[in-house]
Amino acid sequence: MSGKCKQIFILSGQSNMAGRGGIITETHHHHRHKHWDGVVPPQCRPHPSILRLTAHLCWEEARDPLHADIDRSKACGVGPGMAFANAVRERLGGTLGLVPCAVGGTAIKEWARGEKLYESMVKRAEAAVADGGEIKAVLWYQGESDTLTAEDAAAYQGRMEKLVADLREDLKLPLLPIIQVALASGDEKYMEKVRAVQLGMKVPNLVCVDAKGLKLNNDNLHLTTESQVQLGLMLADAYLCHFQPPAVSPEKPLPCSDSKGKSHIPASLFYVSCFLLAFTGKKRRESSFELLHLPAMAASTASTSLTSNPSLNIKPRNLHPTITNTNSQLSLSSKLSLSPSISLLSRHPLFRLTAVAEKKSTVSAPLDAKPTILVAEKLGEAGLDLLKTFANVDCSYNLSPEELCTKISLCDALIVRSGTKVTREVFESSGGRLKVVGRAGVGIDNVDLAVATEHGCLVVNAPTANTVAAAEHGIALLTAMARNIAQADASVKAGEWKRNKYVGVSLVGKTLAVLGFGKVGSEVARRAKGLGMHVIAHDPYAPADRARAIGVELVSFEEAIATADFISLHMPLTPATSKMLNDETFGKMKNGVRIVNVARGGVIDEDALVRALDSGKVAQAALDVFTQEPPPKDSKLVMHERVTATPHLGASTMEAQEGVAIEVAEAVIGALKGELAATAVNAPMVPAEVLTELKPYVELAEKLGRLAIQLVAGGSGVQSVKVGYTTSRAPDDLDTRVLRAMATKGLIEPISSTFVNLVNADFTAKQRGLRITEERILLDGSPESPLESIRIQLANVESKFASAISDSGEIRLEGKVKDGIPYLTKVGSFEVDVSLEGSIILCRQVDQPGMIGKVGSILGEENVNVNFMSVGRLAPRTHALMTIGVDDQPSPQVLKRIGEIPAIEEFVFLKL
């Protein structure tokens, strides 16, 4: 596989990673013999692009059992590896290399540095990249053997953290992504203790998927084949959402802060199942909509803020239209009976419809009673007054965790600021009644989003009201630091008069680097420009034209930190941004640099900052936020004489407090009414029957959007979009909002860092100046099928593929669903017929014999598999449009060769 394997994954741990799916026991002559039944599920089938590293360190085509020559003392069967690899390959393409290392029955202490298993894993990992390629992640499923004794369970966290640190150090990959599986089985006495450690680990670039609830074999220890497949898909979901950016046009790659910044930056994957009453107001239909969020540095470009805990609990999802998770809950009134929902697995990893099992909740409050809203931290009077017009309001501040858990079972909504932790215990204590959590502010670090969605609870925040206040506080700290205001004030009050000691520096002409050019960052930049500073900014997702409009230059992270006299931080806390300023980055800065942080405390390595202050590399720091709040009384950082510290006052102005109070109150009230909230951090439910019927059309709408935006020539901004539906259904019988949302998703996500769902689609489009209109073309006929076709038209834009322009001058694409699969059926004025199951090459050609053969031969020579091909023409021997579906992305050389065929007039490659 020399040099070809670009994506390498380490599979390690014990037996459930090694694979025991399909292992059966037979008895012959009083001897029990275990062997694999040989059944390979479709999701685990071999593929030439998926390879495995053998025990002899050679690459071969991968197939189950992956660990047969590694875990040799046991019978190996189906594990999660092949299902994981196929799901990742389907999304990303290219060659994948699997490095099996798992061995059954091993405790974590046997994986310590210096032990045989650890050293073998490192050796195999190094061999895997010897001929090229990159280690993308470690998949780790281990811990059953550590549930046997109290001593091993107690030591698990320290040993696991040490293992991660040692492995990253030895492989020279300090941010190596780790995807850990929380146990599905083990000794009951200590299993939950080990699981709690796994689910709660706060290690950068480590995420957790939860295997609890997956079906076990008769031994109650090992996962069944079906469960192994399910686990593989869960691991793929976690990798794609946390450590990979969304697919983009090859002509316009999406910048990424750290390869998904956070290592997708980590991003948090959210399985969404939230309560919501009917869309039409006429019917009560419930279901769930799953959105996978990929955190990015530019928090401003997405109206959400992500949790600081990189360990995300990802619950199992169904593989078949049957309900296997009987613990799902929805917080709806006891008078509502929830219809069963079926897990609908979209092929697209960024949009999935997931199921919630039927369950009636036992809510003590009657349906027609006023809801109760618990306000757990001080809220502005204007917000409280608004809440009191709709609900019973209980203002109980400074509650202990135990008191909050006791009180929450009587509440329909909870409003907090940053000081109250809304944990799993809180949601479980609510007994299903808690419907909404409102965060009065931007960050949602203190709310466990994964558990909120698991319990059907909507989370909303107030992302806009405190923008100016935070920016003003940043400028206040900047000027106070430059002139030693806090230190001089303390000195005078101590009876001193040391004018010479507190000589400051001027701001005029100095370079300020704004890291994170979102709402707050851009406001800081505006004000700094007014002070005469030269302002540069780094934000991989900020629009360059917005920066230029206020006289700010966007630069790389390295250039920003290397040239700045002052650095102001305004990014969210994610695993990618965690400790972004550390010993290494401080070393690249100017001597005497000054730092302001009004973002999140964890983005700075506080110990490293103390060292930089002591050495003089950093002259001063002004901090409003800290890793631990309040910080320890003996904090060296807080007590440092060159540090100006404030107690998280960024949003603490009277105006901002009132604005935040009103914004969060309106969001909470709207959510309790069943309305869609633009500030929702997780998505509402979509009626199950609607999703079941519209699922293939949802996929079609998104893919048409993705294709259409890739056809737009650079420099021509999209402002007007028309989505047309050809249908026999009456308007009241066809709810198109989810279709419009997914078309919007397809149009926006490939060219931005914003992640679009049903909640924020219209809001996001409006923010970007995108006017989306809908048109229904009514047909005579049976309304059994919801839609005949979907059409997307982009007006007033230039196209990089002229044939996509219709007679009316718009980019026009049309598609249909055939046998549950979306098809592209029209491009511009050309009729085509190609399945949207891979990427597409469009070629306009002179209509003559032999063209299909010529193009097919070029693709075949380069091992690019063609899955579909069709030719549409306006008239014989004039012009034709060849549409080719391909499984793999052709190289630039292949595309160039196609373009050099004399009869090819134009072509374009479009990636789905």
Side-chain angles (χ1 to χ4, degrees):
M1 190 189 63
S2 178
K4 292 176 62 179
C5 187
K6 300 302 181 185
Q7 305 169 84
I8 296 172
F9 299 89
I10 312 299
L11 281 55
S12 199
Q14 53 185 111
S15 55
N16 273 317
M17 180 59 76
R20 300 292 188 262
I23 297 299
I24 58 178
T25 302
E26 295 181 348
T27 302
H28 296 286
H29 305 293
H30 307 291
H31 293 286
R32 299 178 67 191
H33 171 67
K34 292 186 177 182
H35 64 90
W36 179 42
D37 61 13
V39 176
V40 178
Q43 300 90 339
C44 300
R45 288 173 182 163
H47 190 279
S49 296
I50 302 176
L51 309 176
R52 71 179 285 270
L53 192 70
T54 69
H56 300 293
L57 306 183
C58 300
W59 289 106
E60 65 177 17
E61 184 171 319
R63 62 186 67 245
D64 277 319
L66 286 174
H67 283 75
D69 61 347
I70 303 297
D71 192 11
R72 289 176 293 182
S73 65
K74 308 285 176 60
C76 292
V78 174
M82 288 302 295
F84 166 88
N86 275 303
V88 171
R89 180 194 60 79
E90 181 177 292
R91 163 76 188 280
L92 302 180
T95 303
L96 277 68
L98 303 180
V99 183
C101 299
V103 177
T106 54
I108 196 167
K109 60 188 176 185
E110 298 176 71
W111 291 91
R113 179 188 271 167
E115 295 292 334
K116 180 180 178 181
L117 292 174
Y118 176 90
E119 298 302 328
S120 174
M121 176 170 60
V122 172
K123 177 182 177 181
R124 289 175 60 73
E126 292 173 341
V129 296
D131 294 326
E134 178 182 358
I135 297 176
K136 293 294 188 178
V138 174
L139 311 186
W140 179 263
Y141 189 167
Q142 186 277 333
E144 293 94 334
S145 295
D146 293 274
T147 65
L148 302 177
T149 68
E151 178 183 357
D152 285 338
Y156 192 87
Q157 180 167 348
R159 290 170 175 171
M160 183 62 192
E161 290 175 349
K162 182 70 163 55
L163 170 62
V164 172
D166 289 344
L167 188 59
R168 287 173 169 174
E169 180 179 351
D170 290 344
L171 295 180
K172 298 179 177 58
L173 296 171
L175 292 177
L176 174 64
I178 310 290
I179 306 176
Q180 177 176 239
V181 181
L183 296 178
S185 59
D187 191 292
E188 293 182 359
K189 193 170 183 180
Y190 300 110
M191 185 177 79
E192 288 304 322
K193 187 168 185 177
V194 173
R195 278 176 47 78
V197 169
Q198 294 170 328
L199 292 169
M201 288 188 68
K202 295 185 168 106
V203 175
N205 276 18
L206 184 151
V207 299
C208 184
V209 302
D210 194 352
K212 188 173 183 179
L214 292 178
K215 187 177 179 181
L216 301 175
N217 285 323
N218 293 334
D219 60 7
N220 289 320
L221 178 63
H222 297 114
L223 299 179
T224 65
T225 296
E226 180 179 346
S227 294
Q228 288 285 13
V229 172
Q230 197 165 354
L231 177 60
L233 297 178
M234 292 161 61
L235 290 165
D237 286 342
Y239 174 71
L240 293 170
C241 295
H242 286 261
F243 306 112
Q244 281 295 318
V248 298
S249 166
E251 292 82 6
K252 186 171 183 178
L254 177 67
C256 219
S257 89
D258 206 58
S259 168
K260 171 132 334 278
K262 105 188 220 127
S263 73
H264 156 329
I265 328 191
S268 303
L269 166 86
F270 304 126
Y271 265 63
V272 176
S273 69
C274 303
F275 100 95
L276 239 204
L277 293 180
F279 285 95
T280 62
K282 299 178 180 179
K283 300 179 181 179
R284 294 194 292 243
R285 302 173 293 181
E286 297 82 32
S287 157
S288 67
F289 176 85
E290 175 187 281
L291 169 68
L292 306 186
H293 283 273
L294 314 179
M297 183 174 170
S300 63
T301 59
S303 59
T304 62
S305 204
L306 299 175
T307 178
S308 62
N309 181 0
S311 297
L312 180 63
N313 177 10
I314 303 169
K315 302 298 291 183
R317 59 185 173 84
N318 294 341
L319 294 175
H320 304 295
T322 56
I323 300 302
T324 61
N325 181 2
T326 59
N327 297 318
S328 301
Q329 294 183 356
L330 293 176
S331 50
L332 290 172
S333 164
S334 58
K335 292 190 176 182
L336 297 181
S337 175
L338 307 185
S339 58
S341 304
I342 297 176
S343 178
L344 304 172
L345 306 183
S346 168
R347 294 170 60 85
H348 197 297
L350 293 182
F351 174 68
R352 231 174 345 274
L353 309 175
T354 194
V356 182
E358 176 173 359
K359 183 162 183 173
K360 297 179 182 179
S361 84
T362 54
V363 180
S364 56
L367 183 64
D368 55 353
K370 272 190 173 184
T372 297
I373 300 175
L374 173 61
V375 181
E377 294 181 72
K378 188 168 178 59
L379 195 68
E381 287 299 323
L384 289 175
D385 291 342
L386 187 59
L387 293 172
K388 289 174 183 176
T389 64
F390 176 76
N392 300 313
V393 179
D394 178 359
C395 295
S396 298
Y397 306 148
N398 302 316
L399 294 173
S400 68
E402 294 75 19
E403 291 170 332
L404 177 60
C405 288
T406 299
K407 188 177 282 286
I408 200 65
S409 63
L410 303 175
C411 303
D412 302 282
L414 169 67
I415 295 179
V416 299
R417 300 189 72 85
S418 61
T420 301
K421 305 295 184 185
V422 189
T423 62
R424 174 176 289 276
E425 289 73 25
V426 174
F427 290 107
E428 290 178 348
S429 298
S430 75
R433 180 167 174 177
L434 185 63
K435 301 177 181 70
V436 187
V437 172
R439 164 68 168 95
V442 180
I444 42 111
D445 310 38
N446 54 317
V447 180
D448 193 325
L449 281 177
V451 178
T453 54
E454 175 188 338
H455 285 76
C457 182
L458 195 66
V459 180
V460 297
N461 67 349
T464 63
N466 60 9
T467 296
V468 171
E472 289 177 345
H473 194 62
I475 293 295
L477 287 176
L478 179 74
T479 54
M481 173 180 63
R483 299 305 300 270
N484 300 299
I485 300 297
Q487 293 84 351
D489 175 69
S491 174
V492 171
K493 290 178 177 176
E496 300 173 342
W497 193 259
K498 298 181 177 180
R499 296 179 64 194
N500 292 335
K501 181 177 181 180
Y502 298 113
V503 174
V505 296
S506 177
L507 299 179
V508 174
K510 298 298 193 305
T511 297
L512 170 67
V514 176
L515 302 185
F517 197 67
K519 292 184 176 70
V520 177
S522 59
E523 291 298 328
V524 167
R526 291 177 192 276
R527 287 156 176 77
K529 292 285 291 183
L531 294 172
M533 302 187 78
H534 170 60
V535 182
I536 60 177
H538 170 70
D539 188 326
Y541 303 105
D545 55 349
R546 181 157 62 88
R548 285 194 298 268
I550 58 177
V552 175
E553 179 186 4
L554 290 178
V555 299
S556 68
F557 177 75
E558 290 72 19
E559 182 179 348
I561 63 173
T563 59
D565 302 300
F566 292 80
I567 295 175
S568 188
L569 305 179
H570 303 285
M571 71 281 289
L573 177 62
T574 68
T577 62
S578 177
K579 297 185 178 181
M580 175 177 279
L581 297 195
N582 49 42
D583 287 315
E584 181 182 357
T585 50
F586 286 134
K588 297 177 181 178
M589 297 177 187
K590 281 185 176 181
N591 291 329
V593 69
R594 290 170 168 83
I595 295 172
V596 176
N597 188 10
V598 294
R600 287 289 182 267
V603 300
I604 298 178
D605 183 334
E606 294 181 349
D607 292 336
L609 178 55
V610 170
R611 291 190 289 271
L613 287 162
D614 289 341
S615 70
K617 168 61 76 170
V618 175
Q620 291 176 290
L623 309 173
D624 186 48
V625 288
F626 302 88
T627 301
Q628 178 183 334
E629 294 184 358
K633 293 183 178 179
D634 60 350
S635 168
K636 293 181 180 179
L637 183 61
V638 173
M639 301 305 295
H640 203 287
E641 64 176 352
R642 284 182 288 161
V643 171
T644 301
T646 55
H648 207 146
L649 298 178
S652 295
T653 65
M654 290 185 291
E655 295 82 359
Q657 294 299 298
E658 289 299 292
V660 166
I662 292 172
E663 187 174 10
V664 75
E666 290 175 341
V668 168
I669 291 172
L672 287 174
K673 289 179 177 179
E675 298 170 356
L676 301 181
T679 61
V681 184
N682 53 2
M685 291 166 47
V686 177
E689 60 270 32
V690 172
L691 294 182
T692 302
E693 184 176 53
L694 291 183
K695 176 182 176 288
Y697 300 95
V698 163
E699 187 176 0
L700 173 63
E702 182 185 353
K703 288 187 173 183
L704 289 176
R706 286 183 176 271
L707 293 175
I709 200 64
Q710 292 180 67
L711 288 169
V712 177
S716 55
V718 179
Q719 294 182 331
S720 178
V721 179
K722 181 185 288 186
V723 183
Y725 312 105
T726 304
T727 178
S728 300
R729 294 273 181 94
D732 288 344
D733 294 329
L734 180 63
D735 188 338
T736 62
R737 280 177 291 180
V738 67
L739 299 173
R740 183 177 71 243
M742 290 304 101
T744 304
K745 178 185 180 75
L747 289 164
I748 291 177
E749 283 190 355
I751 57 170
S752 78
S753 62
T754 300
F755 296 92
V756 181
N757 68 358
L758 181 61
V759 170
N760 67 2
D762 291 343
F763 178 78
T764 302
K766 184 178 180 180
Q767 275 191 323
R768 295 179 171 273
L770 190 61
R771 182 172 177 266
I772 299 180
T773 58
E774 295 180 284
E775 179 183 34
R776 294 172 186 253
I777 300 93
L778 292 178
L779 298 175
D780 293 330
S782 171
E784 291 183 6
S785 176
L787 289 164
E788 174 65 21
S789 66
I790 298 177
R791 181 177 69 244
I792 289 184
Q793 296 169 264
L794 310 185
N796 303 316
V797 294
E798 297 178 8
S799 175
K800 63 180 66 172
F801 186 69
S803 300
I805 301 294
S806 67
D807 295 338
S808 57
E810 303 165 318
I811 290 179
R812 174 172 172 163
L813 298 178
E814 191 169 313
K816 296 182 178 182
V817 170
K818 302 179 183 180
D819 298 323
I821 297 174
Y823 276 71
L824 179 65
T825 57
K826 195 165 190 176
V827 177
S829 300
F830 289 92
E831 301 288 343
V832 299
D833 186 30
V834 62
S835 167
L836 294 177
E837 293 188 283
S839 296
I840 289 177
I841 302 172
L842 298 178
C843 301
R844 187 180 70 184
Q845 63 181 65
V846 175
D847 186 23
Q848 63 183 43
M851 293 302 300
I852 293 176
K854 289 179 181 179
V855 175
S857 295
I858 292 174
L859 293 171
E861 289 170 9
E862 297 293 332
N863 199 30
V864 177
N865 191 51
V866 175
N867 60 49
F868 214 100
M869 181 178 288
S870 72
V871 177
R873 60 186 184 178
L874 300 176
R877 299 285 180 171
T878 56
H879 295 284
L881 182 66
M882 186 189 309
T883 310
I884 309 162
V886 292
D887 292 333
D888 312 291
Q889 180 170 340
S891 67
Q893 294 76 20
V894 170
L895 295 175
K896 182 180 178 182
R897 288 181 62 193
I898 292 174
E900 290 173 346
I901 297 174
I904 297 291
E905 298 177 329
E906 63 171 344
F907 74 96
V908 66
F909 172 71
L910 303 174
K911 187 173 183 179
L912 287 173

